[in-house]
Amino acid sequence: MKILRKYILTEFIMPFILSISVLIFIFSLIFLTQYTSLIVNKGVEISVVVKLFFFSLFYPFSYILPLAIFTSVLWSLGRISSDNEITAIKAAGTNIIHLIIPLITVGLIFSLFMVLFNSNLMPSANFERRKALMDIGINNPTATLEAGTFIDSFQKYILFIYKIEGNKLTNIRIYEPQGPGKPARTTIAKKGEFISLPDKGIIKLKLIDGSSDEPNPNNPSMFYKLNFKTNFINLNIAKAQGSQVNKKPKDMTLDELKEEIKRVNHSGIDPTPLITEIHKKVSLAFACLIMVLIGCPLSIITKQRLKSVNFGLALVIFGIYYLLMLGANALSLEGLIPAHLAMWLPNIIFGMIGLIFTLSICVF
């Protein structure tokens, strides 16, 4: 029996290494495509982009690992099953469950590792990524801005810039909302440029040749149009990203989330988003085990040895799992289903399907 279990694990290892390498490579290419332009077109320092790239890989790893495990199970057991080795093993009087137990153990070990990863490493990496984005925004403001879109990263102001070339801006519109039911104060300029002040946490926007709507002191709903040759506006970047703002739930470790729940409960605030995030981190970690439970019987039933077919099947099924996770997250945040139930529903559904399939192949 030891020889058989060693054989199963050996068949699993190589597909796993290949799967996780390919998936990490794909996501690396995606991030490299996004971040290379920061170096080439925006003049951002390579060290800052490397830091941003490194921390960006942590979040998708929560999905890469279970998908790699699922694909590896389909590849390894699918090959064994297609060669009728499963039939020979059953004919020798060995229960199929003995083939599955080593892989279930591997899935459980990876799940326990991912609990620690999702609870501590990934949140810290997410926060470091946001701080890296903030550093880029402070030292090179135009690096994170896109022409032709509304930019609401700054407190008080919404920007629309028609053209950005390096640090030079062309055709700028700045909107300053005045509150519900009140018209926004508008500033228009033909040209402009950013002047970064990292120590003060602000960016000065120098506007050239424009006009500004100034409210009438006697009637705030009315504005005077004032023309200017040069004007300066201070843009506070605290809203953008980084250490000046509180951590988002996905940036918090489990301990931080628990402390935050105590704080918001004391303030009379609904802690549902925080509770949802806790269960999401832990339930997603056990996706490794769930993918093994459903992958083992599925690979034996389909008897498919083609790697491309198995990879496609893994993507489809894991895609369904991911959509269920998104739906459960939305239902939890809306308060339609308790968070402790909603975020575990995908695991419960897929786990039950896997157990039913496993029992069926073991009995028959």
Side-chain angles (χ1 to χ4, degrees):
M1 192 61 65
K2 290 184 179 179
I3 296 176
L4 187 59
R5 290 176 179 174
K6 183 178 179 181
Y7 173 63
I8 295 297
L9 290 176
T10 302
E11 289 292 314
F12 170 83
I13 289 174
M14 287 309 297
F16 173 73
I17 294 174
L18 178 61
S19 298
I20 198 167
S21 300
V22 169
L23 289 171
I24 291 176
F25 178 73
I26 291 173
F27 278 93
S28 297
L29 282 181
I30 294 173
F31 290 127
L32 280 175
T33 302
Q34 295 176 351
Y35 298 149
T36 299
S37 62
L38 294 178
I39 300 174
V40 178
N41 301 324
K42 303 294 185 177
V44 179
E45 293 183 7
I46 295 178
S47 60
V48 177
V49 176
V50 169
K51 178 182 177 181
L52 180 61
F53 170 77
F54 174 74
F55 287 120
S56 295
L57 288 174
F58 278 73
Y59 183 76
F61 189 76
S62 297
Y63 299 93
I64 288 174
L65 186 60
L67 178 57
I69 291 174
F70 188 30
T71 304
S72 305
V73 170
L74 292 178
W75 284 4
S76 57
L77 288 187
R79 200 281 303 168
I80 294 174
S81 181
S82 65
D83 289 343
N84 294 319
E85 293 182 33
I86 298 293
T87 303
I89 291 171
K90 292 174 69 176
T94 301
N95 196 310
I96 298 300
I97 194 66
H98 294 298
L99 296 178
I100 298 176
I101 286 178
L103 295 178
I104 291 177
T105 303
V106 170
L108 179 60
I109 292 173
F110 275 121
S111 290
L112 294 177
F113 164 74
M114 289 306 294
V115 169
L116 297 176
F117 181 87
N118 291 347
S119 302
N120 297 289
L121 295 178
M122 185 181 69
S124 300
N126 281 337
F127 190 56
E128 291 299 323
R129 181 185 65 84
R130 291 178 58 210
K131 290 199 293 184
L133 286 172
M134 185 203 70
D135 292 338
I136 293 174
I138 293 176
N139 298 306
N140 194 339
T142 59
T144 56
L145 304 181
E146 184 177 351
T149 60
F150 286 99
I151 303 165
D152 62 351
S153 301
F154 304 102
Q155 290 182 348
K156 294 175 57 179
Y157 299 105
I158 298 175
L159 280 63
F160 190 94
I161 305 171
Y162 284 86
K163 188 177 181 181
I164 300 175
E165 290 183 346
N167 199 40
K168 304 299 181 181
L169 315 176
T170 305
N171 291 337
I172 308 158
R173 291 182 179 271
I174 303 173
Y175 304 95
E176 184 179 357
Q178 301 298 307
K182 297 180 181 180
R185 179 181 176 181
T186 305
T187 300
I188 301 173
K190 292 183 179 180
K191 297 180 180 180
E193 63 178 295
F194 285 114
I195 301 173
S196 180
L197 301 174
D199 295 338
K200 297 181 179 180
I202 62 174
I203 298 171
K204 278 187 176 294
L205 176 56
K206 180 181 179 181
L207 302 174
I208 303 171
D209 194 8
S211 62
S212 175
D213 294 337
E214 295 292 338
N216 185 339
N218 299 321
N219 188 355
S221 63
M222 297 182 64
F223 293 85
Y224 295 112
K225 183 175 289 294
L226 300 179
N227 297 322
F228 58 82
K229 288 295 182 180
T230 303
N231 190 21
F232 290 89
I233 294 179
N234 290 337
L235 300 176
N236 193 319
I237 61 172
K239 183 183 175 183
Q241 320 215 11
S243 57
Q244 292 185 348
V245 291
N246 293 329
K247 288 185 176 181
K248 297 179 180 179
K250 70 177 183 179
D251 302 332
M252 298 181 183
T253 64
L254 283 190
D255 290 337
E256 290 173 337
L257 283 168
K258 291 175 182 177
E259 289 299 319
E260 187 68 9
I261 289 173
K262 292 179 181 178
R263 188 185 69 81
V264 299
N265 274 331
H266 183 72
S267 303
I269 302 173
D270 183 13
T272 295
L274 300 172
I275 298 174
T276 299
E277 187 64 28
I278 287 179
H279 287 282
K280 180 181 179 181
K281 291 180 188 296
V282 180
S283 64
L284 185 58
F286 280 91
C288 297
L289 177 60
I290 296 301
M291 290 300 110
V292 172
L293 288 176
I294 197 169
C296 289
L298 185 62
S299 59
I300 294 174
I301 293 172
T302 58
K303 297 183 178 181
Q304 182 57 250
R305 67 180 299 154
L306 292 176
K307 293 180 174 61
S308 58
V309 175
N310 283 320
F311 186 70
L313 182 61
L315 284 177
V316 171
I317 295 178
F318 191 80
I320 295 173
Y321 174 86
Y322 178 70
L323 291 175
L324 282 176
M325 185 66 73
L326 290 178
N329 187 74
L331 291 174
S332 176
L333 293 177
E334 290 293 330
L336 300 177
I337 301 178
H340 62 273
L341 174 61
M343 299 315 302
W344 287 92
L345 272 179
N347 286 352
I348 294 172
I349 294 172
F350 273 73
M352 291 298 295
I353 294 174
L355 288 175
I356 291 172
F357 282 173
T358 301
L359 289 175
S360 67
I361 64 173
C362 288
V363 173
F364 300 102

